């Protein structure tokens, strides 16, 4: 089962509708369950809920074979923590989904590190969904010492 999650604060009808259309076109054969957030689009070809409680959300992540999501850092972090393949599509400023393209930058960095797959627009989704079936994310190894060093350097230089 693929878990589609777009967060709970903002709508992302563009992604929800695109995935629903791919199910209709039989380009996604797996079962999909979606957390659609406060959007207006009502999926026709997948089961969905507006929001899940945290324990239900965590259970869904554990049960799914892969995730499709916006490029929010929380979604990326939970997929890496659970070693789940993740395909993200960033919210974009040009569609008025966010105020800047920070999700594009986040997605690009995690893609370069081999942690996630990225569809930068709906046209890329079919090919990326094919890749999702065999994608194995590279494990993330936190660089705690690097963060500590940078914070210390900032404090030394600015305090």
């Amino acid at each position: 089962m693929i878990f589609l999650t777009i967060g709970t604060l903002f709508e992302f009808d563009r992604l929800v509708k695109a995935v629903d259309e791919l199910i209709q076109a039989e380009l996604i054969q797996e079962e999909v369950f979606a957390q659609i957030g406060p959007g207006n689009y009502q999926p026709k070809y997948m089961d969905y809920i507006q929001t899940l409680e945290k324990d239900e959300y965590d259970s869904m992540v554990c049960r799914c074979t892969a995730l499709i999501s916006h490029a929010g850092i929380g979604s990326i972090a939970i997929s890496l923590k659970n070693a789940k393949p993740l395909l993200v599509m960033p919210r974009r400023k040009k569609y008025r989904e966010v105020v800047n393209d920070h999700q594009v930058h986040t997605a690009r960095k995690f893609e370069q590190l081999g942690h996630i797959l990225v569809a930068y627009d709906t046209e890329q989704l079919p090919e990326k969904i094919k890749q999702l079936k065999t994608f194995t994310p590279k494990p993330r190894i936190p660089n705690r010492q690097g963060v500590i060093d940078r914070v210390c350097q900032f404090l030394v230089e600015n305090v």
Side-chain angles (χ1 to χ4, degrees):
M1 179 261 302
I2 295 173
F3 181 32
L4 169 63
T5 176
I6 58 99
T8 58
L9 298 178
F10 305 107
E11 64 88 14
F12 198 14
D13 287 344
R14 185 167 62 96
L15 177 57
V16 175
K17 183 178 180 189
V19 170
D20 204 37
E21 289 172 350
L22 291 172
I23 295 168
Q24 178 189 20
E26 299 182 359
L27 296 174
I28 296 177
Q29 301 278 320
E30 298 87 353
E31 173 190 0
V32 177
F33 182 82
Q35 176 180 273
I36 63 168
N40 295 312
Y41 181 78
Q42 302 287 307
K44 299 171 187 70
Y45 303 99
M46 63 181 140
D47 291 331
Y48 67 93
I49 191 167
Q50 187 172 13
T51 59
L52 290 167
E53 295 295 326
K54 179 169 178 8
D55 60 330
E56 295 171 308
Y57 184 94
D58 291 345
S59 174
M60 193 64 65
V61 170
C62 289
R63 290 190 352 240
C64 74
T65 56
L67 290 98
I68 300 173
S69 180
H70 66 126
I73 197 68
S75 297
I76 294 170
I78 198 164
S79 72
L80 289 171
K81 178 181 176 187
N82 289 277
K84 297 289 182 167
L86 172 63
L87 167 60
V88 302
M89 188 171 83
R91 287 188 168 97
R92 303 294 299 268
K93 179 181 178 181
K94 70 181 181 180
Y95 299 118
R96 298 177 184 217
E97 296 161 341
V98 284
V99 297
N100 60 42
D101 281 331
H102 69 280
Q103 285 196 2
V104 173
H105 303 296
T106 299
R108 189 172 293 127
K109 183 63 176 179
F110 280 90
E111 179 184 38
Q112 289 169 349
L113 294 170
H115 298 312
I116 64 172
L117 295 172
V118 181
Y120 290 95
D121 219 326
T122 55
E123 292 78 21
Q124 296 178 335
L125 279 173
E127 181 58 34
K128 295 295 181 169
I129 286 170
K130 286 180 192 173
Q131 293 175 21
L132 187 62
K133 292 176 186 178
T134 59
F135 177 69
T136 302
K138 286 188 179 177
R140 182 172 181 270
I141 302 167
N143 182 5
R144 291 181 179 95
Q145 190 59 51
V147 172
I148 292 168
D149 292 346
R150 290 188 79 177
V151 169
C152 290
Q153 180 182 0
F154 174 83
L155 291 173
V156 167
E157 293 173 359
N158 295 290
V159 175

